[in-house]
Amino acid sequence: MGEERKTVLFIVEGPSDKSALEKIFKKIYKRNRNIDFKFTDGDISSDPGVTKDNVEDRIYSIVDKYLRDKKLKKKDIFQVVQIFDMDGAYIPEEAIFEGESYAFVYSIKGITCKNPERVKERNARKTTILNHLLSLSDVKSLPYEMYFVSCNLDHALYDEINLDIDKKQAYADAFYERFIGKEEKFIDFLESDVVNGTPKSMYDSWKYIKEGLHSVERHTNLNVYFVLHPRPDALL
């Protein structure tokens, strides 16, 4: 496999995330990269069984399974890219309120839950893992980058912050259909509808999302990926 056709493996949280984004990225980078999406069946940064000490192993297990399934070698991977839901992880504790639901309920003002301590514990676990991953440039010698959608992918792409789980796939399919044949417009969509003041650099965007209520508001830094990795035709 030639250098120009190496694979970028995107890791997202669920199958609807893959449905919404994979074909768009495949089309945008069709000239120089193989793009594949894998999902983790949930948020590994919120998983009680995942810590900063084993999260790299958890991420690499996804990559390793992909390599074995595709009969590829590590050298065939150009980079691993992970997209995380922010889920309000960095909001101050005073924006966590007692509510009527056992589940976490998000709004741009904070998070409510019948037991607010569960939110605080989740946020502490999630931010510890995210901060650790942000210190890395590779996972098991594979180049690694991470991006965020806030408060979650549904919020960022569809402006639906508490979307019912049974509606996720329908929304994802409808979202992709908006961009069929005009996938490059996805980048414009991010800039016009979702970035919402997020700085256009990797370091500054992560610094921004950690401040105040930004991690529960509608933001993304996924547009930065296209800045750091321009399409070949964009270089002409």
Side-chain angles (χ1 to χ4, degrees):
M1 181 180 294
E3 171 72 18
E4 72 281 1
R5 296 307 302 174
K6 285 191 173 186
T7 293
V8 179
L9 181 61
F10 282 81
I11 300 174
V12 292
E13 293 189 9
S16 63
D17 302 353
K18 172 183 166 81
S19 297
L21 296 175
E22 183 177 50
K23 291 178 182 178
I24 292 173
F25 275 84
K26 280 181 177 290
K27 187 66 176 289
I28 289 174
Y29 289 100
K30 66 179 181 179
R31 293 189 182 183
N32 68 325
R33 297 289 176 224
N34 295 317
I35 303 290
D36 271 321
F37 274 59
K38 299 295 287 184
F39 54 88
T40 56
D41 284 322
D43 177 9
I44 65 169
S45 62
S46 297
D47 187 333
V50 177
T51 69
K52 70 180 184 65
D53 296 321
N54 66 18
V55 66
E56 294 172 62
D57 292 332
R58 179 69 172 269
I59 293 169
Y60 188 73
S61 70
I62 299 165
V63 179
D64 185 58
K65 183 177 187 305
Y66 172 80
L67 293 175
R68 287 186 281 107
D69 289 346
K70 296 288 186 178
K71 297 181 171 54
L72 298 175
K73 301 182 183 300
K74 283 179 72 172
K75 66 181 179 63
D76 297 320
I77 300 293
F78 177 72
Q79 66 177 170
V80 176
V81 178
Q82 193 158 10
I83 303 175
F84 286 94
D85 291 357
M86 281 296 92
D87 294 324
Y90 289 100
I91 62 173
E93 288 192 354
E94 55 265 30
I96 299 171
F97 309 103
E98 184 174 354
E100 298 181 355
S101 172
Y102 180 78
F104 298 176
V105 179
Y106 299 93
S107 78
I108 60 173
K109 295 182 179 180
I111 305 172
T112 62
C113 177
K114 184 173 288 188
N115 181 1
E117 288 302 316
R118 289 181 56 240
V119 182
K120 296 174 185 177
E121 292 169 3
R122 190 285 307 268
N123 283 4
R125 181 168 58 249
K126 184 177 176 78
T127 55
T128 296
I129 289 174
L130 291 176
N131 291 341
H132 170 69
L133 292 175
L134 281 168
S135 72
L136 306 178
S137 59
D138 68 86
V139 170
K140 307 294 185 183
S141 77
L142 288 172
Y144 177 80
E145 291 179 1
M146 52 191 288
Y147 295 84
F148 61 78
V149 287
S150 184
C151 167
N152 48 48
L153 184 131
D154 305 325
H155 190 201
L157 298 189
Y158 326 135
D159 201 15
E160 292 282 350
I161 197 169
N162 294 296
L163 187 64
D164 290 343
I165 191 169
D166 58 350
K167 295 181 179 179
K168 285 178 178 286
Q169 190 61 50
Y171 270 76
D173 292 342
F175 181 81
Y176 168 65
E177 288 172 6
R178 287 177 54 186
F179 295 97
I180 293 176
K182 48 185 178 182
E183 285 81 2
E184 71 285 350
K185 296 295 184 183
F186 172 69
I187 305 171
D188 298 331
F189 163 77
L190 293 178
E191 295 278 4
S192 64
D193 286 44
V194 194
V195 170
N196 291 328
T198 308
K200 204 170 184 175
S201 78
M202 184 71 85
Y203 175 83
D204 289 338
S205 64
W206 276 101
K207 180 174 182 291
Y208 176 87
I209 206 63
K210 294 179 182 182
E211 298 171 346
L213 295 175
H214 293 325
S215 64
V216 81
E217 296 168 348
R218 190 183 185 195
H219 296 291
T220 191
N221 68 346
L222 195 53
N223 60 312
V224 176
Y225 185 82
F226 302 101
V227 175
L228 297 179
H229 306 285
R231 298 163 298 160
D233 54 329
L235 299 175
L236 299 178

